[in-house]
Amino acid sequence: MDAKSVGTGSVITNATGSSETYVNGHGAVSMPDGPSADIEGAASADAEGTGSGNEEENKPAGRRWRGPPKNSSRYGIKHSLQRMAVKYTPPKIEGPKKPLHACAPCAREHLDVDASSYCSDCKEKLCSGCSAQHRRFLVLKTHKLVGLEEAPKAEVVKVERIKLTETCATHANKLLDLYCRSHDQVACSACIALSHKGCGEPEYVSTIAADLLKTGLQKVTNDELSRVKKDIFLLKLRRLADKNRFTKAKDDILVTIEGIQKQVMEIFDKLAQSARDKLTTHFDKQMGAIKGDIKSCDNAIASLEDSIKKTKAENDAQLLINIKRDCRASLEIGEQVLIKVTERLGQEDVKFTVDNGILEWLRKLTALGKFEHEVSIYSGIFFGKSDLDQKSDTEKENYVFNNLLNLPNGFTIVSDWKNKRLKILDTNYNLRNHCDTPGEPYALCSVQPNMIAVTLRDEKIIQFVSLDNTKMKLDRKFKIDEYCRGIACKNNQLFITCGGGEGEIHGQLRVYSLHGALVCVFEEDIQGKPFFGQPKDVVINDEGTRFHVADLKRGVVTISPEGRLLSIFHDPGLVSPLGLCMDGKGNLFVSGCESNNVIQFTGEGKKLSEVLNETDGLTRPLAICCHESVIPRLVVASEDSCTIKVYTLQEKL
């Protein structure tokens, strides 16, 4: 519907133009034929649209048609009235418009007058009246008046719209418009519904903000932020000091390393210069002799050539003198040169033999020094014990557990020498199962995750045993020609200690393939000295670069894969070393049967500390193994005891 202003009222005409309503200036509606006729007509027109096209036929003669009769059921007047609503909107009364270019002097008098010119001296816009005043007064007569188009345009100040709302980081497009007093947090409606169900009634941020800020929240927050900022700044200064200190420590160590390198190079430079000087002296002497012989040959040749010329003299008497005197002398000189030079021919020579001891010594070195952070020194704390005797054991008085093996799953296998069986323990060191062997088992090693190898000393057999959780089953085997004791596996090769006992061969470390083929034997060093006296257990570091052997006579012997003797530890504090094991950090542990202790070594075979002794309840330990876990533990088996003891390895401060 649209409205047109007519006098003091408005005419409202429907879309079909079939009805009119007159509204007077007081907002009252007056209709020529009563209010109901016009409203019903409008309702009918709205409900029925423009009708069927027969409106002209239905119009009463002599007046305009105002709609169907009252209470007409044909058009559903009641239904139409419910569907239609006519809302009156009063006309908008606009006040006087502000001039686009207002006169500045008039504006100061609170008058809105359009400006017609611009004074470039006063820098103001002027109306026609004020412009005339400019021309009347002598002081203003010199002012230059220009048109408005030449007036400078006012700069448009861009006002940035400040964003007053924040959205939730968890729920996109949700406003942070609620406040939870229980948690003292602002949140969105989704957060309130999900995470604050048990809290009190949430409040709108816009409602509660003013009250909360009156409590001095802003100042407290600023003070707290400033305090934390200051603390962090001071902490940063301390870390910067740490950075400088740590960097200086590194630089100092680098200077030390460079100093050592320089000193070593100076020593080698001196050795090299000495060798060069000796070579030069010898060379110059021999070369002088060679050059002297060459000169003697030149002189003899010149004398002979001169004598040859004298043999062509025409005077017989002179010829005879030349032959008997000059030619004979030249021949004697030549013969002497031939004899002397021939004797020295090819005799000059120079040879140089490298001192292999220097290279061997250098190869034994593993580092220029040691960093403190690389070594952890342990002490043992008693954790528990476990009895491994079984009713089916044939020997129950004097147990001999020669070897212990820690499996990747945390289980432990024990070699029961006298009962000729292997016993498997779970992670709590409880006996779970056993497997009888065709001989007395001496030592064990892992070959594969589900396979171990066992040495049967007196039978000279290497027996393989398959594993299935706690079940063990004898597998293949191969025989060797010597008594075998310790065993280790690395890179699909078996390292086995042999000999050293009464009536046996000299102590050896033999290397076999997994199928029994002998690969090599470690027995003597490059000087022909034997490595071992009576080798027992053997372990290999993770890198495969060091073979550690517990030798009953020589102590702890460490050799390289190239057959070089790296170290020997023989000390009264370690007597009869029998058990060996390594942890995951490269530390070596050795048990002394007669010294009743366990000693920790570095991976290079150097003693660090005594981990266990008699005060820890240790008596004649035969075998040890280390459990590599979050809390490392050491398992110890003692002679003539069916009980194993477990110790927790704790780093010393």
Side-chain angles (χ1 to χ4, degrees):
M1 305 175 75
D2 59 354
K4 296 180 181 178
S5 177
V6 180
T8 60
S10 299
V11 180
I12 302 175
T13 308
N14 63 10
T16 61
S18 58
S19 64
E20 296 178 349
T21 302
Y22 298 90
V23 184
N24 61 27
H26 299 285
V29 180
S30 62
M31 290 170 274
D33 298 322
S36 62
D38 280 346
I39 294 174
E40 289 173 1
S44 177
D46 185 79
E48 297 296 327
T50 57
S52 59
N54 298 324
E55 294 176 359
E56 295 295 332
E57 298 177 1
N58 297 329
K59 288 181 180 180
R63 67 174 183 174
R64 296 186 64 179
W65 181 72
R66 299 292 183 180
K70 188 177 180 179
N71 298 327
S72 173
S73 61
R74 176 182 174 184
Y75 291 94
I77 294 174
K78 184 177 180 180
H79 178 68
S80 298
L81 288 174
Q82 291 175 348
R83 291 181 56 193
M84 185 186 71
V86 178
K87 183 178 180 180
Y88 168 70
T89 302
K92 183 177 180 181
I93 301 175
E94 297 181 355
K97 293 184 178 180
K98 293 284 185 181
L100 181 61
H101 299 286
C103 174
C106 294
R108 286 193 287 270
E109 300 294 330
H110 305 289
L111 299 174
D112 295 328
V113 182
D114 286 324
S116 60
S117 61
Y118 176 78
C119 178
S120 57
D121 294 289
C122 296
K123 301 187 184 303
E124 288 183 338
K125 295 177 181 179
L126 305 174
C127 64
S128 57
C130 292
S131 299
Q133 294 293 333
H134 261 62
R135 296 186 183 94
R136 288 180 60 189
F137 296 100
L138 183 62
V139 177
L140 302 177
K141 196 170 184 178
T142 58
H143 285 203
K144 183 179 180 180
L145 300 178
V146 296
L148 289 177
E149 64 274 5
E150 297 183 28
K153 296 182 179 179
E155 295 183 0
V156 180
V157 180
K158 294 184 178 179
V159 180
E160 294 185 0
R161 187 176 181 182
I162 300 174
K163 186 176 181 181
L164 300 177
T165 57
E166 294 287 341
T167 57
C168 179
T170 305
H171 306 96
N173 301 326
K174 291 285 186 180
L175 296 178
L176 292 173
D177 55 354
L178 296 174
Y179 173 73
C180 174
R181 284 189 179 272
S182 300
H183 291 90
D184 190 24
Q185 292 179 350
V186 290
C188 69
S189 57
C191 289
I192 292 292
L194 296 174
S195 305
H196 300 265
K197 294 179 180 179
C199 303
E201 187 70 20
E203 301 173 74
Y204 284 103
V205 171
S206 58
T207 304
I208 199 66
D211 293 336
L212 290 178
L213 292 175
K214 287 179 182 178
T215 62
L217 177 63
Q218 183 177 7
K219 182 179 183 306
V220 171
T221 303
N222 284 332
D223 292 345
E224 189 68 12
L225 290 172
S226 300
R227 182 190 64 80
V228 174
K229 176 185 175 182
K230 180 180 177 181
D231 291 343
I232 293 177
F233 181 75
L234 294 176
L235 187 63
K236 175 187 174 183
L237 293 179
R238 295 179 65 182
R239 290 306 281 168
L240 287 173
D242 288 342
K243 175 186 175 184
N244 296 333
R245 174 189 54 78
F246 193 52
T247 302
K248 184 179 181 301
K250 174 195 171 186
D251 294 339
D252 291 344
I253 293 175
L254 290 176
V255 171
T256 301
I257 293 173
E258 291 174 359
I260 295 173
Q261 183 180 12
K262 183 178 179 180
Q263 293 177 26
V264 172
M265 294 307 299
E266 287 177 354
I267 294 173
F268 275 93
D269 288 343
K270 289 180 180 179
L271 293 175
Q273 187 60 45
S274 175
R276 283 193 290 266
D277 292 343
K278 291 179 180 179
L279 174 63
T280 301
T281 301
H282 177 74
F283 179 82
D284 291 344
K285 181 180 179 180
Q286 297 299 321
M287 184 57 68
I290 293 174
K291 289 180 178 180
D293 289 343
I294 293 173
K295 186 175 181 180
S296 297
C297 290
D298 290 339
N299 293 335
I301 291 171
S303 177
L304 290 171
E305 288 178 348
D306 186 58
S307 296
I308 291 173
K309 291 178 181 179
K310 290 181 179 182
T311 58
K312 298 178 181 179
E314 296 178 355
N315 189 318
D316 292 341
Q318 185 63 43
L319 178 61
L320 179 61
I321 293 172
N322 291 343
I323 291 173
K324 294 300 182 180
R325 185 189 64 183
D326 298 335
C327 291
R328 180 176 293 176
S330 297
L331 287 172
E332 289 177 358
I333 293 172
E335 290 293 339
Q336 291 176 2
V337 170
L338 284 173
I339 293 171
K340 290 181 180 180
V341 174
T342 302
E343 288 177 355
R344 292 193 290 265
L345 192 64
Q347 295 298 316
E348 295 80 8
D349 192 12
V350 59
K351 293 181 179 180
F352 180 73
T353 303
V354 177
D355 186 355
N356 290 323
I358 297 176
L359 297 177
E360 289 297 323
W361 177 78
L362 288 174
R363 290 192 185 101
K364 290 180 181 179
L365 299 178
T366 58
L368 292 176
K370 184 175 70 174
F371 293 99
E372 294 181 358
H373 65 272
E374 293 180 320
V375 178
S376 297
I377 300 177
Y378 293 103
S379 61
I381 300 175
F382 182 75
F383 175 74
K385 61 182 180 179
S386 180
D387 295 328
L388 306 184
D389 56 329
Q390 292 178 289
K391 293 182 179 180
S392 57
D393 290 342
T394 56
E395 177 59 57
K396 296 186 178 182
E397 293 183 2
N398 300 316
Y399 282 89
V400 178
F401 298 148
N402 272 336
N403 206 245
L404 302 171
L405 175 64
N406 178 39
L407 298 176
N409 60 3
F411 287 9
T412 305
I413 299 181
V414 182
S415 63
D416 189 340
W417 169 266
K418 291 189 175 181
N419 288 296
K420 298 182 180 180
R421 58 178 43 172
L422 303 176
K423 297 180 177 180
I424 188 167
L425 316 179
D426 59 18
T427 55
N428 294 319
Y429 310 104
N430 296 319
L431 180 60
R432 297 292 301 275
N433 206 345
H434 75 271
C435 176
D436 293 327
T437 57
E440 296 171 331
Y442 194 95
L444 317 164
C445 75
S446 292
V447 177
Q448 296 173 354
N450 59 347
M451 183 76 70
I452 66 172
V454 185
T455 56
L456 307 179
R457 186 192 69 177
D458 296 339
E459 290 73 21
K460 302 178 181 179
I461 290 176
I462 308 301
Q463 177 70 59
F464 292 89
V465 179
S466 62
L467 305 175
D468 182 12
N469 198 10
T470 59
K471 295 181 180 180
M472 297 179 288
K473 182 180 179 181
L474 298 179
D475 206 287
R476 60 187 179 86
K477 61 184 177 181
F478 65 82
K479 190 174 180 64
I480 62 176
D481 55 357
E482 296 296 337
Y483 293 98
C484 50
R485 292 179 175 84
I487 186 170
C489 183
K490 197 70 177 178
N491 300 327
N492 293 322
Q493 291 182 329
L494 296 175
F495 295 76
I496 303 171
T497 58
C498 301
E502 186 176 353
E504 301 178 15
I505 61 172
H506 292 297
Q508 297 177 346
L509 177 62
R510 293 189 169 193
V511 184
Y512 288 87
S513 70
L514 295 180
H515 298 285
L518 182 62
V519 178
C520 65
V521 178
F522 297 96
E523 184 176 4
E524 299 176 342
D525 60 15
I526 58 175
Q527 298 176 351
K529 296 180 181 180
F531 286 126
F532 314 108
Q534 191 173 347
K536 296 292 184 177
D537 207 359
V538 57
V539 292
I540 303 174
N541 66 350
D542 292 338
E543 296 78 14
T545 57
R546 293 178 179 272
F547 310 149
H548 303 286
V549 178
D551 192 290
L552 201 60
K553 295 180 179 179
R554 303 197 68 186
V556 181
V557 181
T558 302
I559 63 175
S560 71
E562 296 80 19
R564 291 183 290 109
L565 179 63
L566 299 179
S567 67
I568 296 178
F569 179 83
H570 187 74
D571 188 89
L574 182 66
V575 184
S576 298
L578 293 178
L580 282 179
C581 70
M582 297 193 75
D583 64 2
K585 298 180 180 179
N587 295 300
L588 174 67
F589 299 89
V590 184
S591 64
C593 182
E594 294 185 16
S595 55
N596 300 317
N597 60 353
V598 174
I599 294 180
Q600 178 187 352
F601 293 79
T602 65
E604 293 75 30
K606 297 179 181 179
K607 179 182 175 181
L608 288 178
S609 68
E610 188 179 66
V611 180
L612 299 170
N613 53 38
E614 289 179 305
T615 60
D616 300 303
L618 213 60
T619 305
R620 299 188 65 80
L622 293 181
I624 57 175
C625 76
C626 187
H627 277 199
E628 304 168 16
S629 59
V630 177
I631 303 177
R633 293 194 174 99
L634 196 68
V635 184
V636 183
S638 298
E639 187 179 31
D640 298 331
S641 174
C642 66
T643 302
I644 62 168
K645 294 182 179 180
V646 183
Y647 297 85
T648 298
L649 294 176
Q650 187 176 44
E651 289 189 27
K652 292 183 179 179
L653 300 178

